[in-house]
Structures are given as structure tokens and as C-alpha cells.
Amino acid sequence: MKIVYIMIVLLLAIQLIRPEKTNPPVDEALTLKAPDNVMKILKTSCYDCHSNETKWPWYSQIAPLSWNIIGHVNDGRDALNFSKWSEIDPKIKTKRLKRSIKTINNGMMPLSNYLMMHEAAQLSNEQKKTIIDWCNKELKKR
Ligand code: HEC
């Protein structure tokens, strides 16, 4: 029994370690502007990790899960932040667009553990095509 108490105390204790969950302010002048159908998919499937408009789920309050989720959002924003789209260096943007095509095609994005909790974020083949076509169109502009 003692081990159970120790576990409970530990679980409570780690709740005190709370890395910051942020949603930095969004400057509309910098955000990505894409056709509505593209925006809708990106907002549902990518924005929780790749924008400053993260919808934090209730379980992101609970350590140690919270650490993992906050880490993914911070890393996701560092890699690609649609809220700061027009600030991204054109060369980097080209890279991210290409990587978006690749990671959607090989099923790396959205992250699989995210999809377990966000069924709606799962991309249908049609949605994949919509995003990939848009990426290709953007790439042609460069
Ligand atoms: C649950 C969070 C999450 C979701 C949802 C998500 N990503 Fe990511 N994404 C990440 C993380 C974390 C990284 C950084 C990975 C790394 O550094 O290895 C990343 C990296 C990327 C990169 C850069 C990869 C590279 O190798 O250059 C692209 C492009 C990307 N994501 C596109 C998308 C697109 C498009 C969607 C939606 C279809 C999406 N992601 C959804 C978390 C997410």
C-alpha cells in the first residue's frame, strides 16, 4: 500500500511544475491569408501547434502530460507559425511549404498522438490534396 501513497504524493507534487502555456497575441497583419477552404483545414488540423491560437485541451493542465503537450506546441511554433506567416523569411517559407507537402504525404503531420485525441484533425485524402495543391500554388509564386 505504501507504494500507492508514494505514487499519489509524487503525482500531486509534479503538478506544481507548470511550464507556461502561452497564446502570444496575434497580429492580423502578419497571419496567413489563404482561401477559406484551405484555412478551415489548417485551423482544424495544424493550428493547435503551428499558430498562436492554440486551443489548450483540459488534459493539458495535468502533469506529466502537460509537459509533453506544451513542448509540442512550443516546438511546433518554432518550426512553423502561421500566425507570423508574413514575417517568415521567403527561403524558410519555401522550405516549410515543401516540408508540409512531404509531412502530409507521409502522414507525419498532424502528429499521430494528437490525432488520437482530435479525430476531426485527421486529414481525408481530399483535404490532403487541398492543402498540397495550395502549397504547390504558393511555391509557384516564388
Ligand atoms: C500536435 C502538434 C502538431 C500538429 C497538430 C501539427 N504539427 Fe507540424 N510540427 C509539430 C512539431 C512538434 C514540429 C517540430 C518537429 C521537429 O522539430 O522535429 C512540427 C514540424 C512541422 C513542420 C516542419 C518539419 C520539417 O521537418 O521541416 C512542418 C512543415 C509541419 N510541422 C507542418 C504541419 C502541418 C501542415 C500540419 C497540419 C496538417 C501540422 N504540422 C500539424 C507539431 C504539430
Side-chain angles (χ1 to χ4, degrees):
M1 257 335 253
K2 213 171 162 191
I3 186 84
V4 176
Y5 290 125
I6 294 172
M7 289 295 286
I8 291 171
V9 169
L10 271 179
L11 269 175
L12 289 174
I14 64 171
Q15 302 310 317
L16 297 173
I17 306 169
R18 305 183 77 83
E20 204 190 350
K21 278 194 298 193
T22 61
N23 270 11
V26 175
D27 180 350
E28 285 300 327
L30 303 179
T31 59
L32 172 70
K33 272 96 186 164
D36 286 349
N37 59 337
V38 172
M39 287 309 296
K40 190 156 176 263
I41 300 170
L42 293 178
K43 289 209 167 179
T44 308
S45 298
C46 317
Y47 263 51
D48 275 345
C49 304
H50 291 294
S51 82
N52 294 345
E53 299 178 49
T54 305
K55 293 192 189 82
W56 294 98
W58 62 266
Y59 47 84
S60 69
Q61 304 282 1
I62 301 165
L65 199 56
S66 53
W67 306 340
N68 185 276
I69 295 172
I70 294 167
H72 276 159
V73 172
N74 289 340
D75 291 349
R77 284 177 184 160
D78 283 347
L80 171 66
N81 190 338
F82 290 118
S83 295
K84 297 189 188 171
W85 184 248
S86 56
E87 252 184 0
I88 302 174
D89 179 87
K91 269 197 200 130
I92 306 264
K93 230 184 240 179
T94 300
K95 270 193 197 152
R96 296 300 179 259
L97 286 163
K98 285 184 180 160
R99 290 292 296 172
S100 290
I101 296 174
K102 206 166 228 171
T103 54
I104 287 173
N105 268 333
N106 68 15
M108 250 170 70
M109 289 291 152
L111 295 181
S112 57
N113 51 5
Y114 174 81
L115 290 177
M116 284 195 309
M117 301 303 277
H118 296 81
E119 267 175 55
Q122 182 91 50
L123 297 172
S124 67
N125 286 338
E126 198 182 323
Q127 287 173 320
K128 284 185 188 174
K129 189 175 178 303
T130 304
I131 300 299
I132 289 169
D133 286 351
W134 171 76
C135 290
N136 279 324
K137 217 184 248 168
E138 285 294 310
L139 284 167
K140 276 208 193 98
K141 288 186 197 163
R142 282 151 215 285

